[in-house]
Amino acid sequence: MARISLTPPHTLLNRLGARYSRRTYGKVLDPGLALGHNARVLLTYVRQERGAAKWNRLDPGLKHLAVMAAAVRINCSWCMDFGHWEADALGLPTDKVSKVPQWRDNQDVFTELELLVLDYAEAMTETEPRVTDELAAALTGRLGEAAFVELTAMVALENYRSRMNRAFGLTSQGFSDACAVASQT
């Protein structure tokens, strides 16, 4: 159960956000409702998400695996649920996405680079990050510095999302119920 009311003030900003969310995702996103209690925080968050959506130096599949690994590590059920829906919308292979929670036990499903990305996302998500020089060097060598920066920023952004959603007490909103990935988990 959410630790914050999901009925924010009925402001123009919140009404516009709800309309956009319904049109884009089919329902109003609970994190938006929670953030709707503070207009400045909501606006900053939306600007950040819109900016991050324009980043294009990292392969979208790798980016998504990193985001999912961070969400899994933090155990954000809302983020994992939404992540399954996003993966389905991106056309990512269900066998990979459904195995992210147990990626260490399913390494044969992932490429060497995907395994590095999953390890990095998990290492970065630890309360005291355990990123090693060797892991960072392996990734910069394979991805290049621009994509490595994007990978790092995406994992940090997912940590922000997941930790905030967990603190708010947000749970699955049923996104994965409507996609192929859900049947594979």
Side-chain angles (χ1 to χ4, degrees), residues 52-67:
K54 295 176 186 173
W55 299 342
N56 63 1
R57 299 303 292 267
L58 180 64
D59 173 80
L62 294 175
K63 187 182 304 190
H64 193 74
L65 289 175
V67 165

Side-chain angles (χ1 to χ4, degrees), residues 96-125:
K96 287 186 182 188
V97 177
S98 67
K99 300 285 192 286
V100 170
Q102 303 87 23
W103 69 269
R104 290 186 187 281
D105 297 328
N106 294 284
Q107 293 191 17
D108 57 316
V109 173
F110 302 98
T111 67
E112 183 182 333
L113 181 55
E114 289 168 341
L115 290 169
L116 286 170
V117 166
L118 291 165
D119 190 26
Y120 184 75
E122 197 173 87
M124 204 179 138
T125 301

Side-chain angles (χ1 to χ4, degrees), residues 20-146:
Y20 171 82
S21 184
R22 268 190 224 92
R23 192 173 59 241
T24 305
Y25 307 107
K27 58 180 91 174
V28 180
L29 303 181
D30 287 350
L33 293 172
L35 292 172
H37 291 283
N38 186 316
R40 287 182 185 216
V41 172
L42 177 60
L43 284 171
T44 300
Y45 179 78
V46 168
R47 277 193 298 271
Q48 181 178 19
E49 288 289 350
R50 289 180 60 125
K54 295 176 186 173
W55 299 342
N56 63 1
R57 299 303 292 267
L58 180 64
D59 173 80
L62 294 175
K63 187 182 304 190
H64 193 74
L65 289 175
V67 165
M68 288 295 290
V72 166
R73 187 72 185 112
I74 293 169
N75 196 25
C76 177
S77 67
W78 192 95
C79 300
M80 290 184 286
D81 174 50
F82 189 72
H84 285 305
W85 179 85
E86 283 186 311
D88 191 56
L90 288 169
L92 297 177
T94 58
D95 58 334
K96 287 186 182 188
V97 177
S98 67
K99 300 285 192 286
V100 170
Q102 303 87 23
W103 69 269
R104 290 186 187 281
D105 297 328
N106 294 284
Q107 293 191 17
D108 57 316
V109 173
F110 302 98
T111 67
E112 183 182 333
L113 181 55
E114 289 168 341
L115 290 169
L116 286 170
V117 166
L118 291 165
D119 190 26
Y120 184 75
E122 197 173 87
M124 204 179 138
T125 301
E126 293 294 327
T127 299
E128 184 174 328
R130 61 170 180 76
V131 175
T132 64
D133 292 343
E134 295 77 20
L135 181 55
L139 282 164
T140 55
R142 298 284 298 273
L143 297 173
E145 290 180 339

